Structure formats: structure tokens, C-alpha cells
Amino acid sequence: MRISTTSCICPFLVCLCFIQRCYGASHHVPAKVLSKNQTKLANGETEVHHRPKRGWIWNQFFVLEEHMGPDAQYVGKLHSNSDKGDGSVRYILSGEGAGTIFIIDEVTGDIHATKSLDRERKGHYVLHAQALDRHTEEALEPKSEFIIKVQDINDNAPKFPGGPFVAAVPELSEVGTSVLQVTATDADDPTYGNSARIVYSILQGQPYFSVDPKTGIIRTALSNMDREAREHYTVVIQAKDMAGQVGGLSGSTTINITLTDVNDNPPKFPQKNYQLYVPESAQVGKPVGKIKANDEDLGVNADIKYSIINSEGTNMFSISTDRDTREGIISLKKPLNYERKKTYTLHIEGMNTHVDPRYSYLGSFKDSTTLKITVGDVDEAPVFSMDYYIMDVYENSPSGTEVGTLTARDPDSRNSPVRYFMDSKDEGTRYFRIDESTGVVRTTQPLDRENMPWHNITVMASEVDNPSLFSHVPVTVQVLDVNDNPPEIATDEEVIVCESSRPGQVIQTVTAVDKDDFANGQRFSFALPSQLPVNPNFTLKDNGDSTASIIGRRRRFNHLTQELYELPIVVWDGGEPSLSGTSTLTLRVCPCQRHGRIRMCQGEAFLSSAGLSTGALIAILLCIVILLAIVVLFITLRRSKKEPLIISEEDIRENVVTYDDEGGGEEDTEAFDIIALRNPAAAEELKFRRDVRPEARQHCTQQPPPPPPRSHRSPSVELDEAEVHEFIKQRLVEADVDTSVPPYDSLQTYAYEGQGSPTGSISPLDSGTQSEQDYNYLDDWGPEFQKLAELYGEAESEVTA
């Protein structure tokens, strides 16, 4: 089988078939020998054999894309060597597009494309071919694979993905500075022809920019491009395929290029001279005006720092920069005074803060201007000659005494008269007044330094013509001291005299106090009153250091004889004139321990003040002791008193009465009193004597029949048991029917064994009397009672004997 194409490359196919047929043979045999299907052996014999099937070797078929003809496009031809042209061979085509895009003539093997193909959508198709015997449907050739490749034509124009573009480049950039690189894409086959070979060119943007035709890099083409002259540029770039030849397809894109700013412009003041009016009442630290220099640059390149460069301006004014508006803010540093200076001249300089040295050749990046400030005259409040005043006056000075004078003047050129006054709400108006014309301050009443040594007042001054405009000044008045208070003895504690004091011994050292104030310190002198006779008990010594010592003159003191002594002392101060005062000290005699420590002084002082003697105190103590002894004796007797066995029901307290005495035999006769249980009649008599409502209990006196006697008991025991049992039942009935008892439970417990034991009671309470009972029956109770039986047996024998 062979393939026939439009080019009919038959020699090439013949060579391929020849090589395939000869592959693997031991000798190079001509093709015609093989066609006879026989081989000559070494012994001269010939061997006939079948010719093996040849494999199919295929080349690619090609079909042009975008075929627009009326007929189907011819692709190629399939042919097998087994085809004799008689129509016995049937060709079958399968694979991608078989039967829809590609069809085959089953007899001739011609392949046609029925549709227009697009290489950019699908570049090749893989198909399979078979040659079958039409009659037997046997495969004449093995199934083989071949490819139909779509051949490209220039049917796609170049495109710029992502456009339009935005770019930026600094102003004043050098020629050839790279701005941006653009890249166009072409969907055509870059390996076939020039359909995808692109060339770039600039359609708009000359002469400012250029583009590299191969790489698409856009560069500056003009030097000294100034942003301040033109900032935005629009550049159009074209991409053309077919290497730019005629007939090629093209596409274009737009690039918006912006020139970025550099600091190439210095600040400029619009004017060389400015004028500003500022009233003299302008506040210090507040803005008084603005000034601005223009800079054509942007951002940090336009930042300006303002400064005042002459001394006259810097002394009175300051300037700062507003970051938002880039204005120079002029502020006042000191108060203005129209009467002193009416005009000021300021030399102001504005300079860029960020200077680029690359553009220093353009000149200095600063500018200066002159600002003339005119001070305006305003009506000002009067001004005092001092910021504050300090005055003084002696205490006890008569009302109307002059304290001092305040002076204020009108700072304006008119020099209007001034009026002085004090605020009516000021506390100082109680003690002082001021002359509204002269400003003289006088007292309104005598002052007392000891009461208030300082006075703070506020004086105000206003123009007579304009009372609403006023100023004020603080005034401090100090009250000077005069010696008008006599001194006194400082006695914070009581003066104690020990009984053991000896003549000449210092009792206590005293000092003095004085309300007056002495500049060089207080000086006091002390003495006993001269008009009084000599004190036989104490004397006084002036120590010369503003203290005095009290000295005893007696050998001993006795607080029982005399406890209190009075000692008048005269004190003189060191003032001019000197004043004196007499103070009387009270001295208390107390018994003291060693080293002068006081003992029992306060208690004895209290009793002595009540006027009690020693004998009276001893009698009182004895009475107290006797009372305590009586109380202790009474408590002891109460605790030792026996309580009755049965408590009356009239005791309404909650209680538990327990009888739990096991007994102590014949020797224990006082451990438990059971008479109340053995003698119910006596108990009844006692009960009715103590009961408050006897009529409510008479129905309970009936006695139930006694229980039957039990074996192994003496008559006395059975009688006691019946009485006790009857007594307990009677108490139980009374408790159930009694309506006068309180509504809470009362538990009464009697340690009574009852009648349940068949052996009877073994209590030794009645053991004091002789019993006729035989205790031999205890042997029948078991080994547990054997020892008890022996004991009773021995006791019985001893009694009998």
C-alpha cells in the first residue's frame, strides 16, 4: 500500500518500501526474486514461501486553514499495493474529525476536508487508516496512524494585553531614559513564515518619546522636559506582523505618561514689600498675620521654611510654617506699645527644606521679602506702677491710719484721669478703704496681729472717661506687732511634788508663752510676788534663759496632811514697754517611787476630793469583803441542796427525769430513794398539795387490778412491784388527759424492769431483810448463773449458821 499526495513523491516511497522488504534478509536479494516467493538454498534446492506484509510508513498531510472555496478541500490520497484498481479494496478512515471534518472515498482513498479549519483553535488532527478486502473484509494492511496538520496563514493581528498603560518619568530626564516596555502578542504560528514576527513603531508622542522596534521599550527622546510647562503626555504604539512588510496586520495601544516633579523651582514671594496692621492690644503668643511664598514644585519639593533675618523683627515677632497651607504665620513675642514704638520692619526669608544638588545650577532655592508692621493705638486700661504692692501697718492703730499709696496712669497719649476702687465682694473692704482720686489706702478699724497677721486685698483702677475698662493689682498688708499681750506660764501638765523631796531640790522647770512677736526672740524673767510673805514651802529661781526652776524648801511633804499647794509666779517679757503677768500654779503632793516615778497619785487624789478618811476607806473595804463572802456561801448551799426525786408537774420546763441507779446492795442505802414508787399514796398526797387544779385530776385516781403474782418471788417483792406498776400507769393516764400542761412533750423515765422476765427481779434493793427464798433454782439456768448461785448459797448458809 502506498500514499499518493499532491506532490507525488513516488521515488521516495519506492526506496522506503525496498528497505523494508530487504530488512532482516541474510543476503541482499533483488526485489523481483522476492516477488516470486522462492529462495535458493545452499544445496541448490529452492524453498517456496509466502511474502510477508509490509508495514505502513506515513508522512504528514497538510491542509490550509480558513479555506473559503465552494468545494471540499483536497487533503491527500491513501493507496495500498494490493489495490489493482478493480475496486476490491475498501479504505476506512477513523480518528479525530473522521466522517465530519474529513471524509474518504472508500474506493479511491481520496481524503477531503469538508469544513474551514482554524489553526489557532486546533493545529492538527490524528487519524487512523485501514485497507480491507471488500469481499472477505480481511485487512490487507495493518491499521496505521497518520497526522493531518493545519497549515497557518496570517489571519490574526497583534494585540497588547492589559492596555492602555500608565507610566511616569521624572522631569528633566536625559534623552534615552527608559519609561516603559510594551509587548504585543500574535496568535499566528511563530514557526511558520513571518505571520507572528512583530515590529513596533510610534504613531503619536513624537518628538518627546521613541520606541525600540524589536523590544517595544519606550524612551525619552527630548531633553529638558519641564513638568511645570507640560505634565501629561499621550503616546500611541503600533505593533505590525509580517516583519512590518506591506500586507501585514497591526494593532496599537495607548500609554499615558506623566512627568514627576523634581525640585527645580525656588520659592518666590509675589511681592517684595508687604504691610501689616497690628493693634497694640494684640495678645502675646497669638498670630497677628500671614505671608506666603509660591513654589511651582509639588510635595516635599515645595516645602518652605520661613525665618526673620533682622534683629528688630526677631525681638518682637516670630514666624512659623503651616504645613497644610505652606504659609508663614507671624506671632507676637512681646506686648506692643503704641506710645513707645509705632512701626516695625521685618525681613522675611523663605527657603526650600529639601534641596536637590543636581539642580543647584539653576540658582539659589530661597527668596526674601520685607514686611512693615504698623502698631495701632487702642484705648488701654490704666497701668499700675508696680505689678504687686506690699504694705505694713501697726496693730491697734486707730481707724483711718494710712497704710500706703497706689499709683496708676493711663498709658494712652490722652493721659486720662484714673479712679481707684476696691471690689465690694473683697473681704479686705472690712478693714481697708482707698481714696478713689489719690489711691491712698487707710484702715477702717483697729487691727489685731494675733488674730490676722496678713491681709490680701485687690485694688482696681479705671479711666474716669471709660469706667468699663479697668485693671487690677494685688496688695498685701502686713500687720506689725506691738507689745500688747502679757506673758503667761506654760503649764501643759500638772506640777507634781514628791513626798520624799528634800530642801533645795528642783521640783520642776517652767517656761512662759507670749502671743506677741519679737524679732530677736522672746525674753522672759520670773519672780515670786513681792507683796506676798515669803513662801515657807517653795522658792523660785530665774535661770536667765527664759526659764525658771521651782525649788522645795521643806524637808518632807505628806499628801495626807496637805495635798495641794498654790504658787503664784510673776513673768515679765522683754518688750518695750515691758509687760508682766501673774500665773498661779497648783502643785500636787504624791507618793513617788524611786527616780521620781509617781505611784497611786490619781486614785488617791480622787478619794481625797471626796473627803474620805483612811478609817472610812477601811470600813468600806471590809463591807465589800463580807458581802462577797455571803454571796459565795449562798451559792455553795444552793449547789449542795438535794433535789426531790419526783418533780411536780407544775414545773412546765422541758426536762428529762431519769432514774438509772443500779443500786449498791445492802451497804448502799442512800443511792436511790424509791419510797415515792413504793408508796403511791404518799406521792398522791404530795401531788394534790402542790397541784393548782386538783379537780381536773380526780378522775384519774382509780387503780387498775394488780397483776397476778409471779413464781419465785417473795410477797413483799410482789407487793412493791404492783404498787410501782400501778403508780407508773397512773402517771401515764394523768399525762394523757391533763389539759393544763403546756403543749410540748415531756419525757419521764423510770428505771423499772417490769414484769417481762420469767425469773423475776434480781435487784438487791430489798436485800437488807432476810429472805426465805431458795436459790437452788439458779443452777437450772445454766453455767452463766452458776457463780451467782454459789454466792447466794454461801450467803444463806452464813445466815443460817
Side-chain angles (χ1 to χ4, degrees):
M1 183 175 182
R2 68 177 182 271
I3 301 173
S4 177
T5 66
T6 54
S7 57
C8 298
I9 314 176
C10 293
F12 179 72
L13 295 178
V14 171
C15 292
L16 291 176
C17 294
F18 178 77
I19 294 172
Q20 182 178 8
R21 290 173 60 187
C22 295
Y23 180 75
S26 61
H27 299 282
H28 295 284
V29 181
K32 61 182 180 180
V33 175
L34 296 176
S35 60
K36 293 181 180 180
N37 298 329
Q38 61 181 4
T39 302
K40 187 176 181 180
L41 300 177
N43 54 7
E45 296 179 359
T46 60
E47 180 183 1
V48 179
H49 58 82
H50 298 285
R51 179 178 61 84
K53 294 184 178 181
R54 300 187 303 269
W56 293 22
I57 299 178
W58 302 100
N59 287 332
Q60 291 182 344
F61 289 150
F62 295 92
V63 58
L64 290 177
E65 66 171 334
E66 305 292 346
H67 177 71
M68 304 300 292
D71 300 328
Q73 184 180 3
Y74 180 73
V75 178
K77 184 180 182 64
L78 296 179
H79 187 71
S80 174
N81 291 338
S82 301
D83 189 357
K84 305 300 183 180
D86 55 358
S88 61
V89 178
R90 183 166 68 92
Y91 297 96
I92 299 175
L93 187 65
S94 63
E96 295 179 342
T100 57
I101 301 175
F102 303 102
I103 58 175
I104 188 171
D105 191 325
E106 293 184 351
V107 177
T108 62
D110 294 331
I111 301 174
H112 290 80
T114 61
K115 296 181 180 180
S116 176
L117 304 179
D118 186 0
R119 188 202 67 84
E120 287 72 35
R121 183 172 297 176
K122 188 171 181 62
H124 66 277
Y125 296 85
V126 178
L127 297 111
H128 299 86
Q130 284 182 295
L132 304 177
D133 188 304
R134 186 178 297 276
H135 303 290
T136 63
E137 293 296 328
E138 293 182 0
L140 301 178
E141 301 288 349
K143 186 176 182 180
S144 298
E145 180 183 279
F146 67 96
I147 296 174
I148 298 177
K149 189 173 183 180
V150 182
Q151 189 171 1
D152 181 56
I153 63 173
N154 189 17
D155 59 342
N156 291 279
K159 295 181 180 180
F160 291 92
F165 302 95
V166 177
V169 64
E171 63 174 330
L172 303 181
S173 297
E174 297 180 356
V175 176
T177 301
S178 177
V179 180
L180 180 68
Q181 182 179 13
V182 293
T183 302
T185 58
D186 196 319
D188 293 326
D189 189 1
T191 62
Y192 179 77
N194 294 328
S195 298
R197 185 178 178 185
I198 299 172
V199 175
Y200 300 94
S201 61
I202 185 168
L203 300 181
Q204 181 181 338
Q206 295 177 334
Y208 306 104
F209 300 95
S210 63
V211 65
D212 189 296
K214 294 182 179 180
T215 62
I217 298 176
I218 303 172
R219 303 179 185 274
T220 59
L222 188 65
S223 61
N224 297 327
M225 285 191 294
D226 190 5
R227 185 200 66 81
E228 289 73 28
R230 182 178 178 183
E231 185 176 4
H232 301 286
Y233 294 85
T234 300
V235 178
V236 179
I237 301 297
Q238 182 189 61
K240 190 174 183 180
D241 59 11
M242 298 300 292
Q245 298 176 5
V246 178
L249 303 178
S250 63
S252 61
T253 187
T254 301
I255 301 97
N256 295 316
I257 301 176
T258 302
L259 297 181
T260 58
D261 182 65
V262 297
N263 192 7
D264 59 340
N265 293 280
K268 292 291 183 181
F269 286 102
Q271 300 174 207
K272 288 300 180 182
N273 294 283
Y274 292 89
Q275 291 186 354
L276 181 64
Y277 173 82
V278 180
E280 62 175 336
S281 60
Q283 297 183 11
V284 175
K286 298 295 182 179
V288 296
K290 299 179 182 179
I291 193 170
K292 183 178 182 180
N294 298 325
D295 194 324
E296 296 181 354
D297 296 324
L298 300 175
V300 296
N301 297 323
D303 288 344
I304 302 173
K305 180 182 179 181
Y306 298 93
S307 59
I308 301 174
I309 58 178
N310 64 321
S311 59
E312 179 183 356
T314 55
N315 290 334
M316 295 296 297
F317 299 92
S318 63
I319 189 170
S320 59
T321 303
D322 190 323
R323 294 184 177 180
D324 297 330
T325 61
R326 293 190 174 90
E327 294 177 328
I329 309 300
I330 302 170
S331 302
L332 189 62
K333 292 174 64 177
K334 297 179 180 180
L336 297 175
N337 193 330
Y338 172 80
E339 288 72 27
R340 294 182 181 179
K341 190 174 181 61
K342 297 178 176 57
T343 60
Y344 293 89
T345 301
L346 278 64
H347 297 293
I348 300 175
E349 182 181 76
M351 181 176 62
N352 284 138
T353 57
H354 299 79
V355 179
D356 194 335
R358 294 179 299 173
Y359 308 105
S360 59
Y361 64 91
L362 297 176
S364 176
F365 286 84
K366 61 183 178 180
D367 194 18
S368 61
T369 187
T370 301
L371 175 62
K372 183 178 181 181
I373 297 178
T374 301
V375 180
D377 185 22
V378 296
D379 191 6
E380 299 177 86
V383 178
F384 286 93
S385 59
M386 299 176 65
D387 294 335
Y388 60 91
Y389 292 86
I390 299 178
M391 301 177 181
D392 53 56
V393 62
Y394 281 100
E395 65 174 331
N396 301 329
S397 298
S399 177
T401 300
E402 181 177 342
V403 179
T405 303
L406 282 72
T407 303
R409 65 175 183 85
D410 183 10
D412 299 325
S413 57
R414 296 180 300 172
N415 196 16
S416 301
V418 178
R419 182 178 69 89
Y420 304 92
F421 60 97
M422 296 174 62
D423 190 355
S424 59
K425 299 179 181 179
D426 196 342
E427 186 69 20
T429 56
R430 295 172 50 192
Y431 307 99
F432 305 96
R433 60 183 175 83
I434 187 170
D435 190 288
E436 65 177 10
S437 301
T438 62
V440 176
V441 180
R442 299 180 184 275
T443 60
T444 60
Q445 58 181 326
L447 304 178
D448 186 5
R449 188 203 66 85
E450 287 74 31
N451 185 28
M452 186 179 294
W454 295 89
H455 293 270
N456 296 316
I457 60 176
T458 301
V459 176
M460 293 178 286
S462 65
E463 296 181 11
V464 176
D465 300 336
N466 188 6
S468 61
L469 191 63
F470 59 87
S471 59
H472 55 83
V473 66
V475 180
T476 301
V477 180
Q478 181 183 8
V479 181
L480 302 179
D481 182 59
V482 295
N483 192 15
D484 58 344
N485 291 279
E488 298 176 354
I489 297 295
T491 55
D492 296 335
E493 297 180 356
E494 191 176 38
V495 179
I496 302 300
V497 180
C498 293
E499 291 182 338
S500 59
S501 298
R502 297 291 183 265
Q505 181 178 347
V506 176
I507 303 300
Q508 187 166 336
T509 300
V510 296
T511 59
V513 294
D514 196 330
K515 296 180 180 179
D516 295 323
D517 184 22
F518 296 94
N520 297 325
Q522 295 180 344
R523 298 181 301 277
F524 301 103
S525 57
F526 304 85
L528 296 177
S530 58
Q531 65 274 14
L532 297 178
V534 177
N535 193 319
N537 300 311
F538 305 97
T539 185
L540 187 68
K541 178 185 177 182
D542 191 339
N543 298 324
D545 57 353
S546 297
T547 64
S549 298
I550 301 174
I551 300 175
R553 301 183 68 178
R554 293 182 54 175
R555 179 171 297 277
R556 291 186 64 85
F557 293 89
N558 190 338
H559 73 284
L560 299 178
T561 304
Q562 183 175 350
E563 184 180 6
L564 300 177
Y565 293 88
E566 291 185 352
L567 181 64
I569 300 175
V570 182
V571 186
W572 288 270
D573 61 19
E576 291 294 337
S578 179
L579 296 180
S580 64
T582 301
S583 300
T584 301
L585 296 182
T586 300
L587 287 72
R588 181 181 302 277
V589 178
C590 289
C592 299
Q593 295 179 354
R594 294 182 179 180
H595 310 295
R597 289 182 295 177
I598 301 172
R599 181 184 63 185
M600 297 174 60
C601 188
Q602 298 296 331
E604 290 184 359
F606 171 77
L607 295 176
S608 298
S609 63
L612 298 177
S613 62
T614 305
L617 292 177
I618 294 174
I620 293 173
L621 292 177
L622 289 176
C623 293
I624 293 174
V625 171
I626 293 172
L627 289 176
L628 292 176
I630 294 174
V631 171
V632 172
L633 181 60
F634 179 77
I635 294 175
T636 304
L637 292 176
R638 285 290 302 273
R639 289 184 177 178
S640 61
K641 185 178 179 181
K642 279 190 176 182
E643 295 292 337
L645 183 61
I646 301 177
I647 302 175
S648 174
E649 292 180 356
E650 295 186 21
D651 188 359
I652 61 174
R653 295 172 298 173
E654 289 183 352
N655 55 78
V656 178
V657 182
T658 304
Y659 302 93
D660 195 13
D661 195 323
E662 296 181 356
E666 295 83 352
E667 297 179 358
D668 188 6
T669 58
E670 295 181 359
F672 184 73
D673 187 5
I674 201 172
I675 297 177
L677 296 178
R678 292 181 175 179
N679 191 3
E684 281 297 318
E685 182 181 356
L686 177 63
K687 181 190 68 170
F688 285 115
R689 286 199 302 268
R690 297 177 61 185
D691 200 342
V692 295
R693 297 179 60 185
E695 63 278 1
R697 307 177 182 267
Q698 294 177 1
H699 63 279
C700 300
T701 58
Q702 296 180 0
Q703 297 181 357
R710 295 183 179 271
S711 61
H712 305 290
R713 294 188 184 182
S714 63
S716 60
V717 172
E718 293 179 357
L719 178 60
D720 292 342
E721 179 181 357
E723 292 176 353
V724 172
H725 181 71
E726 183 65 23
F727 174 78
I728 294 176
K729 289 183 62 177
Q730 181 178 347
R731 287 298 186 188
L732 179 61
V733 173
E734 291 176 359
D736 291 339
V737 300
D738 192 359
T739 59
S740 63
V741 297
Y744 49 80
D745 293 339
S746 177
L747 178 62
Q748 298 182 2
T749 304
Y750 302 92
Y752 177 66
E753 295 181 357
Q755 302 175 1
S757 174
T759 61
S761 175
I762 61 175
S763 174
L765 294 178
D766 288 337
S767 61
T769 58
Q770 186 175 358
S771 176
E772 298 294 334
Q773 186 171 348
D774 184 9
Y775 297 100
N776 294 327
Y777 65 90
L778 294 176
D779 295 333
D780 300 333
W781 290 1
E784 292 84 357
F785 295 89
Q786 183 176 2
K787 185 64 178 176
L788 184 62
E790 294 176 357
L791 292 175
Y792 275 97
E794 293 176 359
E796 183 71 19
S797 61
E798 290 178 359
V799 172
T800 306

